[in-house]
Amino acid sequence: MTGAPRQLNERLALAASRRAMEIVLLVVCIVLAFRAPNFLTSENLFNVLRSVSLQGLIAFGMTMVIIVGEIDLSVGANAALAGCLVAWLAQAHIPLIFAVPMTVAAGAINGLCIGIARARFEVPSFITSLALFTILKGAALMLTGGFPITSFPDGFYFLGGGYLLGIPFPAMVLLAAFVIAHVVMGRTRFGRAVYAAGGNPEAARLSGIDVNRVRTAALAITGALAALSGIMLAARIMSGTPSAAQNWELDIIAAVIIGGTSFTGGVGTVWGTLVGIVFIGVIINGMTLLNVPVYSQYVVRGFLIFAAVLVNRAQTRKRG
């Protein structure tokens, strides 16, 4: 099976998988409402929103990257370095109005490097981003000397821990990013190019799409979102810490795959990713409320990632 019928079958299969995940999320919420009395309180729900916001922001970019057939394993290290960089700039008395855009631009350049290596030298993004992960971790340690930087001006905390109209500011950023990403992927030429380049790169080239440019743009956007997320994380903990955002890339990729995005490219939705990231956040929050030991929580999260890959592979086999 090739061409349009194959893509249609994949979309139908993954849409069914996404609907199933929505049902599972609803069931989990109902169970936690009875087993954990504090789960449905406004304070706890806001905590869930705040906890998923930073990773969810990156997950929207990662959705584009995976749909276009690439991967970025450096997003956690990118976020950590961004937190350290904005702290270092603040310590050097650079106003935040300049420090924040400079840090976001640095994150975008990191993603751009992965795209350039893919386009110019045909190095798989998996390899480049894995190498970049180590480079960025080392850069964060060099920048801070291995110790957290805590020199932030008044008001910086608002970016990570403040409230706007009674809603956590990071959650507002997440919702705004969701709307923008949803419109971009569903209603713009760039969004259509992402799907085309991921679904059938050769056909996309023949139709006039610069596949390498689309891939590079998706990776640069994800790098910028990772940096923005790292800035908000630093604001939440009021510290630029080299060890921050550890293992974020695993939860982010898991959320994207759980949400129905295909590892083989060409299929996925921003809405599905939002469902996936909320699902992981609810599971972690529920385990905390039920006093599940932290080490056991890591085991459960690992099984979630593995299960997501199994579901994705099963859907891929169905289309064949």
Side-chain angles (χ1 to χ4, degrees):
M1 185 181 297
T2 59
R6 180 176 182 176
Q7 288 292 319
L8 178 59
N9 280 355
E10 184 176 39
R11 286 191 175 93
L12 291 175
L14 291 175
S17 173
R18 187 172 60 250
R19 285 194 295 270
M21 183 52 58
E22 292 169 359
I23 294 172
V24 171
L25 175 60
L26 178 61
V27 170
V28 169
C29 289
I30 293 173
V31 170
L32 288 175
F34 286 99
R35 292 293 303 276
N38 294 328
F39 177 73
L40 286 182
T41 63
S42 59
E43 181 180 359
N44 183 65
L45 293 178
F46 279 152
N47 284 336
V48 173
L49 278 176
R50 187 186 295 109
S51 68
V52 304
S53 294
L54 303 186
Q55 292 183 356
L57 189 63
I58 305 173
F60 295 147
M62 188 68 77
T63 303
M64 299 180 188
V65 169
I66 295 179
I67 289 175
V68 84
E70 303 298 328
I71 195 73
D72 185 354
L73 300 178
S74 69
V75 288
N78 198 348
L81 177 59
C84 295
L85 178 58
V86 75
W88 184 83
L89 291 171
Q91 190 179 54
H93 305 292
I94 304 297
L96 287 178
I97 194 172
F98 300 117
V100 169
M102 289 167 63
T103 303
V104 172
I109 291 172
N110 291 330
L112 192 66
C113 290
I114 302 173
I116 291 174
R118 179 73 170 89
R120 296 285 181 87
F121 307 106
E122 298 185 356
V123 179
S125 55
F126 175 88
I127 301 298
T128 305
S129 62
L130 189 60
L132 189 61
F133 171 89
T134 305
I135 293 170
L136 298 180
K137 279 292 186 183
L141 289 168
M142 291 173 61
L143 192 65
T144 63
F147 296 97
I149 299 176
T150 57
S151 302
F152 288 112
D154 295 337
F156 183 64
Y157 176 77
F158 176 80
L159 295 178
Y163 287 79
L164 184 63
L165 302 176
I167 300 174
F169 181 72
M172 298 286 279
V173 175
L174 177 72
L175 295 176
F178 166 74
V179 172
I180 294 171
H182 182 73
V183 171
V184 167
M185 293 300 291
R187 298 179 180 275
T188 68
R189 180 179 299 178
F190 174 74
R192 291 190 292 272
V194 168
Y195 283 108
N200 192 328
E202 187 58 32
R205 288 190 185 94
L206 293 175
S207 65
I209 295 174
D210 190 331
V211 173
N212 286 330
R213 181 174 294 180
V214 172
R215 288 170 175 166
T216 302
L219 288 161
I221 289 170
T222 303
L225 291 174
L228 178 59
S229 183
I231 292 169
M232 291 195 294
L233 176 61
R236 180 188 298 177
I237 63 178
M238 290 299 285
S239 171
T241 307
S243 61
Q246 287 191 17
N247 299 321
W248 271 22
E249 54 279 341
L250 301 181
D251 285 339
I252 289 166
I253 293 171
V256 175
I257 301 305
I258 287 172
T261 298
S262 172
F263 253 136
T264 56
V267 176
T269 65
V270 176
W271 167 254
T273 295
L274 181 63
V275 172
I277 199 70
V278 170
F279 175 76
I280 292 178
V282 166
I283 291 293
I284 294 173
N285 177 259
M287 289 191 295
T288 301
L289 292 177
L290 296 174
N291 296 317
V292 177
V294 174
Y295 297 147
S296 299
Q297 292 186 27
Y298 281 110
V299 173
V300 173
R301 291 163 70 176
F303 273 115
L304 280 175
I305 296 170
F306 184 64
V309 174
L310 286 181
V311 169
N312 185 272
R313 295 300 301 168
Q315 298 298 347
T316 301
R317 284 195 294 269
K318 281 183 180 180
R319 73 178 185 180

